[in-house]
Amino acid sequence: MARHPTQAPASGAPERSGAPDATQPATFRSGFACFVGRPNAGKSTLTNALVGTKIAITSGRPQTTRHAVRGIVHRPDAQLVLVDTPGLHRPRTLLGERLNDVVRATLSEVDVVGFCAPADEPVGRGDRYIAEELARLPGRTPVIAILTKTDLVRDPDRIGARLLELSQLADFAEIVPVSAVPVPVRGEAPTGDRDHVAGHQLDVLADLLVARLPLGPPLYLDGELTDEPERVMVAELVREAALEGVRDELPHSLAVVVEEMLPREDRPADRPLLDVHVNVFVERPSQKAIVIGAGGSRLKNVGTTARAQIEALLGTPVFLDLHVKVAKDWQRDPKQLRRLGF
């Protein structure tokens, strides 16, 4: 893989400074790692756990992630920039094709790839499809297989079987089982039969990724956790709230655009208010009715949930104005895809 020291994956990242930082050890490493896997393989949850805060939305619905999301892990010896990508899949729409393009563009530019497969499901056609894609990467790009969601599997034999299945997919540089969610230690769970700790083997995974980064100074300022624009993060929080409890066909039809974010005029300095105007797009009038709910009840719940998270993100009170609109068959319409940011 040809990697220029100022090159950044998937739509830009900060350039490296020309001279090494004298405060950093000569062995300091920095670079990019990409998580890839089929939809709903736990990539976003893993990214959030390693970064230590929520920078990517999560959902039980597949194909929740729609663009490359970067999270930054700061360590005394390294700066690891994690790139969470959409699930790689056989596309059925133009949107699906463009999401796959995002993944492939990212894969071509990172230093190490983490291939995620869930422990609670057997290796399947989707995993084999991705393994074939990864086999086309330049030979110098290492791929680490990550067995995610081990907290959902109590039988060690099943974990072992999944690890064996993964090892037969490709010649991975490493294979590591992890859990990205808190699980009680033995004796604290009601059944007393679990012995994982919170974030099981996340530190091991981070070490394996960091070891494959090039030597170099930090790419981001200390304390930065993501370079996602605030508007993008706000739109994602609204979409996450809207995804909860909807029918199976709706998640893929939801798109969210933040039209305006403006401070309310004539507010006292000690009582600021940010007006956030958001449009939620669906593909059919029947889907609009689902999002709004009876008497607007569901849209109100979406607004309440999203507003609380937006206020936590921005650190200021928010007036969230939500509107639901129909953009017919936008997943298949190039013009509407561009309008919605794809």
Side-chain angles (χ1 to χ4, degrees), residues 235-255:
E236 289 291 89
L237 289 173
V238 172
R239 188 162 65 92
E240 181 181 50
L243 282 170
E244 292 304 313
V246 294
R247 297 178 184 176
D248 289 343
E249 78 275 7
L250 186 54
H252 309 298
S253 299
L254 273 174

Side-chain angles (χ1 to χ4, degrees), residues 22-328:
T23 64
Q24 300 293 342
T27 57
F28 193 89
R29 295 180 180 274
S30 63
F32 298 90
C34 169
F35 288 144
V36 66
R38 56 186 161 96
N40 208 23
K43 302 180 295 296
S44 296
T45 302
L46 183 58
T47 299
N48 291 340
L50 285 167
V51 174
T53 192
K54 181 176 182 175
I55 58 100
I57 70 170
T58 59
S59 171
R61 305 294 185 182
Q63 297 178 31
T64 300
T65 303
R66 285 184 174 165
H67 63 288
V69 179
R70 282 184 292 274
I72 305 152
V73 180
H74 299 273
R75 299 178 17 152
D77 62 334
Q79 189 179 85
L80 171 64
V81 184
L82 299 170
V83 187
D84 177 29
T85 62
L88 195 59
H89 62 292
R90 296 189 186 278
R92 298 180 180 178
T93 64
L94 183 56
L95 172 64
E97 293 176 7
R98 293 191 176 177
L99 295 184
N100 276 357
D101 289 343
V102 169
V103 180
R104 293 188 179 103
T106 304
L107 286 172
S108 68
E109 296 174 340
V110 297
D111 301 295
V112 55
V113 174
F115 170 43
C116 297
D120 62 330
E121 299 177 29
V123 168
R125 287 182 298 176
D127 300 302
R128 286 188 284 273
Y129 172 75
I130 296 169
E132 291 170 2
E133 289 280 336
L134 295 178
R136 300 186 182 100
L137 290 175
R140 290 177 295 172
T141 306
V143 179
I144 295 174
I146 306 167
L147 188 70
T148 60
K149 304 186 182 183
T150 57
D151 54 289
L152 299 180
V153 180
R154 301 185 182 186
D155 183 357
D157 290 338
R158 283 185 63 196
I159 296 288
R162 296 292 173 264
L163 291 171
L164 180 60
E165 290 173 5
L166 270 180
S167 70
Q168 295 171 343
L169 271 182
D171 185 18
F172 296 112
E174 303 278 355
I175 302 178
V176 56
V178 303
S179 168
V181 299
V183 176
V185 296
R186 183 180 295 277
E188 294 183 4
T191 57
D193 61 354
R194 291 188 176 185
D195 58 1
H196 292 149
V197 296
H200 180 57
Q201 294 223 119
L202 291 180
D203 54 345
V204 174
L205 174 59
D207 287 344
L208 292 174
L209 295 170
V210 163
R212 288 159 175 83
L213 301 181
L215 296 172
L219 296 163
Y220 291 84
L221 296 175
D222 188 35
E224 285 190 73
L225 299 179
T226 183
D227 62 358
E228 286 293 286
E230 286 183 347
R231 279 187 175 230
V232 173
M233 296 189 73
V234 167
E236 289 291 89
L237 289 173
V238 172
R239 188 162 65 92
E240 181 181 50
L243 282 170
E244 292 304 313
V246 294
R247 297 178 184 176
D248 289 343
E249 78 275 7
L250 186 54
H252 309 298
S253 299
L254 273 174
V256 178
V257 175
V258 176
E259 298 293 340
E260 282 189 325
M261 290 175 56
L262 297 171
R264 179 77 60 87
E265 295 182 359
D266 302 324
R267 295 282 294 192
D270 60 342
R271 294 180 59 201
L273 184 66
L274 186 67
D275 288 317
V276 179
H277 300 279
V278 177
N279 287 330
V280 179
F281 291 93
V282 293
E283 293 187 293
R284 297 187 295 277
S286 60
Q287 296 171 337
K288 180 177 179 179
I290 293 172
V291 174
I292 294 175
S297 59
R298 192 166 185 287
L299 187 62
K300 181 179 179 181
N301 290 336
V302 169
T304 300
T305 301
R307 185 177 67 249
Q309 297 216 43
I310 294 168
E311 289 179 341
L313 170 71
L314 302 179
T316 187
V318 165
F319 173 78
L320 181 60
D321 180 36
L322 293 179
H323 294 273
V324 184
K325 299 184 176 184
V326 176
K328 186 177 178 181

